[in-house]
Amino acid sequence: MKTILFIFFFSLVTFGQTDICQEKPSPGKTPVSNISIEEVNKLIEEFDQSKTLFLEINGEIKGRTALLIKRDNVCLSGIDKPLIKRTEFNGENEQPVIRIENAKNVTVKGFNIEGTIEENNCPADVMGIYVVNSKNEAISNLRILNNQIQTIGQVYVGACVDKSEKESKHNLGQAHGINVRMSSSQKGNANSKITGVFIQGNTLNNLRLGSSEAIALNGNISNFNVSANTISDVDNIAIDIIGGSEGKFQPTDGIVAENIISGLLPGNGTYPFVAGVYIDGGTGLNWDKSIKVTGNTVSGFGIGISVGSENNYCKNKCNVKTEYIEIQANTLKGNQVYGLGIGKDYKKQNSKTWSIKVIGNTIIDNVLSKDESGYSQLHFGSLIKDSLKDIEIRGNKIKSSGENSPLLVRIKGSKKYLTPDIKFYENIFYSDSSNIWSWGKRSDEKPYTKSELISEGNKLKLPEGVKGDNNTWNQLQ
């Protein structure tokens, strides 16, 4: 099959937060046939660095190494979703199909990006698209648009050998569909940051992620937009906004919107405790620069949406704080464990989750796993003093039906610190079960029944110590 590559160029200008491909000049073209990834890399490397490079590709591109973009001002655009396939992964770390490094004003759009699913490829982190900053300065305006990313990952049959250890360790490995982060050498550097990340309209499927994620934004990242992506047939977290694991920095000021997530596969060591959308230490700066999670649909997964942090980056001297998060108009239905989780109830995840708004969501008929029947549609974790603060639950529809999912709300953690600041207003609740609300540690919980909480027709009376008003009890279709 022929590959036709059209090259356009013009003088460098400032594009700000725009898609560089929209600046396409009047055409002039150079056809290239039977091109490989290695040949594309040579074209990118040798092109005049003071010009903008526009590559419009029609046809397959294959190679044994990554397609490398290590310069500013590049548009890589596919016609009719041409295939970019990496055929070999050799066990080294950080092995993407496409690698964007230390570059700004870059767009990759309209491709079918494919790798392989290997067995025991230790200790590689294989990826579809990898964006990394290893510079002592910011990079910005990076767009990953309308791509299909598939058949990437690792299947671990046996144990992996960590060369720094004397003994072999079983490892699920790591793989990502899209991974955006600072390099390990820059993880504590405030100047090394990424701003303006747009991951929109992509389809990700058939990914074997091991201990990693389909889409991950990790560390010092701001002004991001992850929207209108479709993610299915994966074995770990679909979208993860991560703070703490790459030093003390947290992603801020971003949007996760209108994504469709389904089809979690067994295989991960924490299955089914795997979130569709996970705000894992990401944080807003204030309500004007919050993280907004809106209009997403998560079904047939492990957990719908989870907000909190697994990380305590300063090792018991302080706690990662996840705050200023807006969760609005999402549909969380038919997931294995809970629909929405706020805070943490595992002893090593001693984070604080503050200033969370949960407004107008539909959270219904989750907790499908018989093994996790003690969970609820809306789950709170409270482990340390002031771990849950300024949480507003307003105007949501929360329904539970079936013998596996009796509880609408559960607050679980350390009894000592179960004084969370949570308020419920104007929500509609319904459950087929007699027990509908639970508060406390697993061994010492206070269950509340319908007869205790429903009075005056369809009015719901909140449990003692829980703030709010105008909540009702109605059958939800």
Side-chain angles (χ1 to χ4, degrees):
M1 179 179 290
K2 285 190 174 183
T3 302
I4 306 300
L5 188 146
F6 303 93
I7 303 178
F8 306 93
F9 56 92
F10 52 100
S11 297
L12 184 62
V13 295
T14 301
F15 293 106
Q17 299 299 311
T18 61
D19 181 358
I20 197 169
C21 295
Q22 300 304 315
E23 304 295 332
K24 178 178 175 181
S26 300
K29 62 184 179 182
T30 303
V32 180
S33 62
N34 300 318
I35 197 166
S36 65
I37 287 177
E38 290 78 7
E39 290 171 307
V40 173
N41 289 343
K42 187 175 181 181
L43 280 168
I44 294 172
E45 183 179 356
E46 293 180 351
F47 196 81
D48 187 342
Q49 298 287 305
S50 67
K51 308 289 186 179
T52 293
L53 174 59
F54 187 101
L55 299 179
E56 193 171 61
I57 298 172
N58 180 10
E60 294 184 354
I61 298 176
K62 294 184 179 180
R64 296 183 297 175
T65 61
L67 193 157
L68 298 174
I69 301 174
K70 300 177 73 172
R71 51 151 294 171
D72 298 342
N73 306 298
V74 175
C75 167
L76 189 64
S77 179
I79 301 173
D80 298 327
K81 287 280 177 73
L83 176 68
I84 300 179
K85 182 176 177 64
R86 180 170 178 170
T87 58
E88 292 186 12
F89 298 90
N90 57 20
E92 297 176 358
N93 284 328
E94 297 178 356
Q95 294 185 82
V97 179
I98 298 176
R99 182 184 181 105
I100 303 168
E101 182 175 357
N102 301 337
K104 62 185 177 183
N105 294 332
V106 174
T107 295
V108 175
K109 68 176 182 178
F111 291 97
N112 179 3
I113 297 166
E114 188 173 303
T116 62
I117 295 178
E118 303 280 343
E119 287 189 0
N120 294 338
N121 188 13
C122 309
D125 184 355
V126 297
M127 293 171 272
I129 298 177
Y130 182 38
V131 178
V132 61
N133 186 4
S134 59
K135 298 170 67 175
N136 185 29
E137 60 185 79
I139 62 174
S140 62
N141 197 25
L142 303 163
R143 295 175 182 267
I144 300 169
L145 311 175
N146 303 320
N147 301 285
Q148 170 109 19
I149 300 174
Q150 62 182 333
T151 316
I152 293 168
Q154 314 211 42
V155 177
Y156 281 82
V157 177
C160 284
V161 177
D162 185 337
K163 294 181 180 179
S164 66
E165 301 288 342
K166 294 182 179 180
E167 298 181 359
S168 298
K169 291 185 175 180
H170 181 69
N171 191 329
L172 288 170
Q174 296 187 86
H176 296 85
I178 301 169
N179 186 14
V180 182
R181 70 176 184 89
M182 271 53 60
S183 70
S184 297
S185 64
Q186 298 293 330
K187 65 182 181 180
N189 183 356
N191 295 322
S192 180
K193 57 186 176 182
I194 302 175
T195 65
V197 178
F198 302 86
I199 301 173
Q200 298 171 303
N202 302 282
T203 299
L204 296 90
N205 67 293
N206 192 26
L207 303 178
R208 301 300 176 264
L209 302 166
S211 59
S212 296
E213 305 86 22
I215 297 176
L217 275 62
N218 191 341
N220 198 4
I221 300 169
S222 63
N223 186 21
F224 60 86
N225 187 317
V226 181
S227 61
N229 302 285
T230 300
I231 304 173
S232 62
D233 189 23
V234 298
D235 61 358
N236 206 6
I237 298 164
I239 298 172
D240 202 356
I241 310 301
I242 308 169
S245 63
E246 291 293 335
K248 65 182 181 179
F249 300 110
Q250 298 169 267
T252 62
D253 190 12
I255 297 170
V256 180
E258 304 293 337
N259 300 283
I260 299 174
I261 298 167
S262 63
L264 177 68
L265 299 173
N268 185 280
T270 61
Y271 178 88
F273 289 86
V274 176
V277 177
Y278 192 5
I279 309 302
D280 175 17
T283 188
L285 301 176
N286 51 51
W287 284 122
D288 291 332
K289 293 186 176 181
S290 63
I291 292 180
K292 297 176 176 62
V293 183
T294 180
N296 301 281
T297 299
V298 186
S299 61
F301 221 73
I303 294 166
I305 296 173
S306 181
V307 180
S309 177
E310 296 180 8
N311 301 291
N312 182 22
Y313 65 81
C314 40
K315 297 181 180 178
N316 298 318
K317 295 180 182 179
C318 63
N319 306 101
V320 170
K321 191 184 294 181
T322 298
E323 58 184 339
Y324 299 113
I325 312 294
E326 299 180 62
I327 304 167
Q328 187 169 5
N330 301 281
T331 298
L332 312 175
K333 181 178 180 179
N335 296 292
Q336 291 294 309
V337 197
Y338 40 87
L340 173 62
I342 297 175
K344 291 295 178 181
D345 58 40
Y346 179 59
K347 62 182 178 180
K348 294 183 179 180
Q349 299 175 356
N350 52 347
S351 58
K352 294 183 177 182
T353 309
W354 290 8
S355 299
I356 311 296
K357 293 181 179 180
V358 180
I359 300 174
N361 301 277
T362 300
I363 307 170
I364 61 175
D365 297 341
N366 299 285
V367 201
L368 297 184
S369 172
K370 292 183 179 180
D371 294 332
E372 313 304 336
S373 58
Y375 280 90
S376 57
Q377 303 299 311
L378 180 56
H379 178 81
F380 296 93
S382 176
L383 283 175
I384 58 176
K385 188 176 181 179
D386 295 327
S387 60
L388 295 173
K389 183 176 179 180
D390 188 26
I391 314 293
E392 179 183 338
I393 314 296
R394 183 183 293 271
N396 303 279
K397 296 179 180 179
I398 304 172
K399 174 191 173 187
S400 179
S401 64
E403 61 182 13
N404 292 330
S405 53
L407 294 174
L408 294 164
V409 179
R410 185 183 187 190
I411 301 178
K412 178 177 179 291
S414 169
K415 187 95 174 190
K416 180 179 179 182
Y417 298 121
L418 281 174
T419 55
D421 178 17
I422 306 171
K423 305 176 186 69
F424 292 83
Y425 296 102
E426 301 163 4
N427 302 283
I428 299 173
F429 293 93
Y430 189 82
S431 176
D432 291 338
S433 173
S434 58
N435 290 331
I436 59 174
W437 203 292
S438 187
W439 180 295
K441 294 188 297 184
R442 182 181 292 270
S443 60
D444 186 25
E445 290 191 26
K446 164 58 177 169
Y448 290 86
T449 64
K450 289 180 184 179
S451 59
E452 291 177 276
L453 298 185
I454 300 172
S455 62
E456 301 178 20
N458 66 343
K459 187 175 180 180
L460 182 78
K461 181 178 67 175
L462 295 170
E464 184 179 354
V466 181
K467 302 173 185 177
D469 198 9
N470 292 326
N471 299 285
T472 58
W473 185 267
N474 281 305
Q475 172 73 58
L476 297 173
Q477 300 301 321

